[in-house]
Amino acid sequence: MSKFLSERYKDLLPYVPGEQPQDMQYVKLNTNESPFPPSPYAQRLAREAAGDLQLYPDPECKQLREIAADKFGVDIDEIVFTNGSDEALCFALMAFCGKETPVVFADVTYGFYPIAANLTKVSFETKPLKDDYSIDVEDYLSVGKTIIIANPNAPTGMLMPVQDIERIVVSNKNNVVIVDEAYIDYGGQSVLPLIKKYDNLLVCRTFSKSRSLAGGRLGFVVGNKALIADLNTVRNSFNPYNINRMTMAAGIGALIDEEYFEKNCATIIKNREFTVQELKRLGFEVLDSEANFVFAKNKKISGKDLYLSLKKKGVLVRYFDKDRLREFVRITIGAKEQMRALIEALEELL
Ligand code: PMP
């Protein structure tokens, strides 16, 4: 730390992303990326856009918004694009929360929420998950605070039914409810259509998983026009050019190439079923996942030892050194060969 760092940030503990090792080729199942490259059409549009990089991108993201609005059945003013959904979460905290207006989320959820809250000087409260690792809806009824719910939740992969989220939205009419649907395309039902019914619902999505664009950094938020206008006020005060030309073009391609997207989601769901079945055969307990990852534990070995032993065998998974999570590892669902490699490594280990 330099002597110049502002008092504001002296206590900040930044997010530690999953490893992106460069030393060797791993079977990489640790950061919930897609094992498939971006759609060939998205790649082509991105390459073409590279030729215009001397120009600033469209700060309004008009074409991308039009295509997305059409796809998701919303108005163009009900959608805003962000540099990954992490940026969207920060914008939402800046826009709707503060020291006196806290945000509430689960104690076991996406680790970026408390970090973004610290950065934006927003106070937060956590609600413990139930013993079965599900979110207790009752905890979020009439809380009178901004709420973030990851659905499916991370790192558990467990899904909350739409009706439960609707109850939360209805009972917190004077507060914004942010539903982070980063993993919704792997079998879950989205609450997105409800933005037409409720003016306090924001749905956050990403292109990092099901649309194979983690490296492009593209996310978006859908909600009532007034909420989106507020997010745009923050966005335009921070970085109006938050989506670069190549990413914008790739995003357009990824949305248009629906067939590629659907095929890949279906493959991941099939590979998840295979992986869960194999893990159970090997004595693992696996939480019910509707995401592109599973959260699993085995009585014979701790999460940390499993992570370390798998790493030695060239398979990377994610381990969380946190209460209630230590016994588990989170395994991204990749291509079939990757999942076979994981199972073979586990067979040797156990
Ligand atoms: N939400 C959840 C629940 C996530 O797991 C992630 C990915 N780490 C994100 C949001 C952020 O994704 P991105 O910034 O790549 O869009």
Side-chain angles (χ1 to χ4, degrees):
M1 187 193 299
S2 81
K3 63 182 182 187
F4 305 107
L5 182 67
S6 156
E7 274 303 320
R8 270 199 317 278
Y9 298 129
K10 286 217 160 117
D11 297 328
L12 217 56
L13 289 174
Y15 184 68
V16 183
E19 301 161 87
Q20 300 288 355
Q22 313 292 330
D23 58 329
M24 62 175 261
Q25 276 277 333
Y26 285 93
V27 176
K28 199 170 170 304
L29 306 174
N30 68 329
T31 45
N32 298 343
E33 291 142 324
S34 168
F36 312 114
S39 133
Y41 184 53
Q43 291 189 44
R44 198 182 91 206
L45 294 189
R47 271 197 300 273
E48 284 169 14
D52 291 325
L53 284 181
Q54 76 279 19
L55 303 171
Y56 283 110
D58 171 15
E60 307 265 299
C61 276
K62 193 150 181 287
Q63 197 192 353
L64 180 56
R65 270 164 65 222
E66 276 169 359
I67 294 169
D70 186 50
K71 179 149 304 266
F72 297 108
V74 297
D75 197 273
I76 184 165
D77 296 328
E78 291 171 329
I79 188 161
V80 58
F81 276 86
T82 53
N83 192 305
S85 51
D86 282 347
E87 188 182 66
L89 293 162
C90 280
F91 287 170
L93 291 175
M94 288 190 230
F96 307 116
C97 306
K99 265 216 157 51
E100 312 304 325
T101 44
V103 61
V104 178
F105 41 78
D107 62 341
V108 173
T109 189
Y110 181 31
F112 183 68
Y113 300 155
I115 287 160
N118 285 337
L119 174 72
T120 53
K121 301 293 162 201
V122 166
S123 39
F124 63 90
E125 287 169 26
T126 57
K127 302 277 183 191
L129 294 187
K130 292 202 274 194
D131 288 345
D132 67 358
Y133 289 86
S134 65
I135 290 174
D136 193 342
V137 187
E138 305 295 325
D139 281 345
Y140 297 85
L141 298 179
S142 309
V143 289
K145 289 164 189 145
T146 303
I147 293 169
I148 308 181
I149 291 176
N151 198 43
N153 196 15
T156 63
M158 291 170 77
L159 186 77
M160 190 187 245
V162 167
Q163 303 87 292
D164 285 350
I165 296 184
E166 188 165 6
R167 282 176 69 203
I168 294 170
V169 174
V170 171
S171 76
N172 288 283
K173 282 229 155 64
N174 292 322
N175 290 93
V176 179
V177 178
I178 303 160
V179 184
D180 177 355
E181 293 191 335
Y183 303 103
I184 200 69
D185 294 322
Y186 303 104
Q189 193 190 342
S190 173
V191 292
L192 202 150
L194 294 183
I195 67 116
K196 296 282 183 190
K197 216 165 142 189
Y198 304 107
D199 66 3
N200 61 327
L201 172 64
L202 276 182
V203 181
C204 235
R205 291 279 191 91
T206 180
F207 279 54
S208 294
K209 321 291 173 185
S210 53
R211 295 188 195 266
S212 300
L213 284 177
R217 313 304 302 127
L218 189 62
F220 63 100
V221 190
V222 182
N224 171 273
K225 284 188 177 71
L227 290 179
I228 297 298
D230 293 341
L231 289 176
N232 269 317
T233 301
V234 174
R235 183 181 72 88
N236 287 318
S237 309
F238 178 76
N239 179 13
Y241 301 117
N242 60 335
I243 312 298
N244 73 73
R245 277 182 176 268
M246 288 175 75
T247 295
M248 211 181 295
I252 289 169
L255 281 179
I256 292 174
D257 195 351
E258 190 71 14
E259 202 182 312
Y260 185 79
F261 158 79
E262 278 174 8
K263 186 181 81 181
N264 288 345
C265 290
T267 304
I268 294 298
I269 292 170
K270 219 166 65 200
N271 294 352
R272 182 178 69 212
E273 284 162 6
F274 164 78
T275 308
V276 170
Q277 201 182 339
E278 288 293 286
L279 287 173
K280 286 187 173 165
R281 179 176 66 77
L282 294 174
F284 278 84
E285 187 186 316
V286 190
L287 299 188
D288 281 337
S289 169
E290 299 283 348
N292 68 338
F293 57 86
V294 291
F295 206 45
K297 65 174 179 180
N298 192 311
K299 278 197 209 83
K300 288 190 201 150
I301 183 164
S302 73
K304 187 174 185 180
D305 288 344
L306 196 53
Y307 155 74
L308 290 172
S309 321
L310 281 172
K311 189 171 178 184
K312 272 196 203 128
K313 289 185 171 294
V315 180
L316 269 190
V317 297
R318 190 93 190 255
Y319 152 73
F320 299 89
D321 189 10
K322 218 182 139 192
D323 284 350
R324 294 187 76 191
L325 307 186
R326 277 190 193 92
E327 297 169 276
F328 289 85
V329 286
R330 191 195 68 190
I331 305 167
T332 301
I333 304 297
K336 192 72 175 266
E337 318 81 77
Q338 292 180 296
M339 303 328 289
R340 282 215 185 91
L342 164 85
I343 299 298
E344 271 171 32
L346 287 172
E347 274 170 341
E348 284 166 21
L349 275 176
L350 297 165

